[in-house]
Amino acid sequence: MIPAADVQRPLRRGASLMPAPLEPAAFDRARLAVVPPDTHAADQLAHTMRLVKAARFNAATRLERKQAVSLFTQSMVALYFVGLAVWQAVYVGQIDDATNRLMTFVQLVSSVFTLILGLLEAMNDYKMKAHHLMNCALAVSELAQELRIARPSDPEEVQVFRRRYNGQLRNCPVNHARIDFLFAKLDGKPGNAWTHAGLSLRYVIDVYGLYALFLAVPPLIWWVHQ
């Protein structure tokens, strides 16, 4: 006769081969370990912040350059006016009437250009606009770094970052131009050479075009009538 202990021993051995059921907490941890959190919304918002940050840095640099070129042009055009006036005073009686009238005309053109440049500088206030854009770019950059570190998957947390981002944009009274945004999109990307050349030409015309015209017109008038 087989002892009862020998009969129950195989059952216990078979039972030991079956996996123990997972507790609810352990099951949740295993499921979270398999399914990664969805951070697509946070990554997309971080990408938008990066583009806007770069565009506003570009805009601040562009406006600072325009301010420097504007001040240089005002100084040079004023020099045209003052230099011709001094020349007329020094060589009075030695200049023929045609040249004297031409010098007077160039002086009038230079004085009008100086007035226009002064009004443009006062109206646009490039220095203050560049200051606002730089501060906004720094604030957006700091917020983007926080978002990249946190990378939240909860929509409510992403919404909090979005509200903070929109708040920074609303606090800035100046907006960047389209050319600044296009340069930000092409930054570090191997794009079409013609696209880069076209954007560079637009940038040069935007920053230097008007002031180059003001600098060139008085000497051009003098040269044409000589």
Side-chain angles (χ1 to χ4, degrees):
M1 185 175 182
I2 302 174
D6 294 338
V7 175
Q8 295 177 359
R9 189 177 297 116
L11 295 177
R12 288 198 298 268
R13 289 173 183 173
S16 63
L17 296 177
M18 297 178 61
L22 293 176
E23 297 184 2
F27 179 76
D28 292 339
R29 287 196 298 269
R31 185 180 61 180
L32 292 176
V34 173
V35 181
D38 185 10
T39 60
H40 177 71
D43 295 338
Q44 187 174 10
L45 181 59
H47 177 69
T48 302
M49 290 183 184
R50 184 189 66 80
L51 287 178
V52 171
K53 173 202 69 175
R56 302 221 158 182
F57 276 130
N58 293 339
T61 303
R62 179 175 57 84
L63 293 179
E64 288 174 353
R65 289 178 179 174
K66 291 190 75 167
Q67 184 204 11
V69 176
S70 176
L71 293 177
F72 174 78
T73 305
Q74 289 184 63
S75 302
M76 291 302 299
V77 174
L79 183 61
Y80 293 160
F81 175 76
V82 175
L84 289 176
V86 171
W87 190 8
Q88 280 184 308
V90 171
Y91 294 99
V92 61
Q94 302 180 22
I95 305 174
D96 57 274
D97 291 339
T99 304
N100 194 32
R101 289 194 297 270
L102 177 60
M103 293 173 65
T104 302
F105 178 69
V106 174
Q107 287 182 60
L108 290 175
V109 172
S110 301
S111 63
V112 171
F113 281 1
T114 303
L115 178 61
I116 293 174
L117 286 170
L119 292 175
L120 288 175
E121 183 68 26
M123 180 179 63
N124 290 315
D125 198 5
Y126 296 126
K127 184 176 181 179
M128 185 57 64
K129 288 181 179 179
H131 174 73
H132 286 305
L133 287 168
M134 182 66 69
N135 287 340
C136 182
L138 291 173
V140 172
S141 177
E142 182 178 357
L143 185 59
Q145 291 176 9
E146 292 182 19
L147 181 59
R148 280 196 296 268
I149 294 173
R151 294 194 68 193
S153 58
D154 186 3
E156 291 297 330
E157 296 183 20
V158 178
Q159 190 75 349
V160 171
F161 278 99
R162 187 192 64 80
R163 292 194 186 99
R164 292 174 60 189
Y165 165 65
N166 290 334
Q168 294 295 342
L169 296 185
R170 283 193 297 268
N171 290 335
C172 183
V174 190
N175 195 9
H176 55 267
R178 176 171 175 78
I179 190 171
D180 305 315
F181 183 74
L182 292 177
F183 267 114
K185 289 183 67 176
L186 288 178
D187 187 22
K189 294 182 179 179
N192 190 349
W194 288 106
T195 303
H196 283 279
L199 283 178
S200 299
L201 180 60
R202 286 177 56 186
Y203 187 88
V204 169
I205 293 174
D206 180 84
V207 176
Y208 304 103
L210 179 64
Y211 306 108
L213 180 66
F214 282 178
L215 285 172
V217 167
L220 185 62
I221 294 175
W222 178 269
W223 179 76
V224 168
H225 288 80
Q226 286 297 316

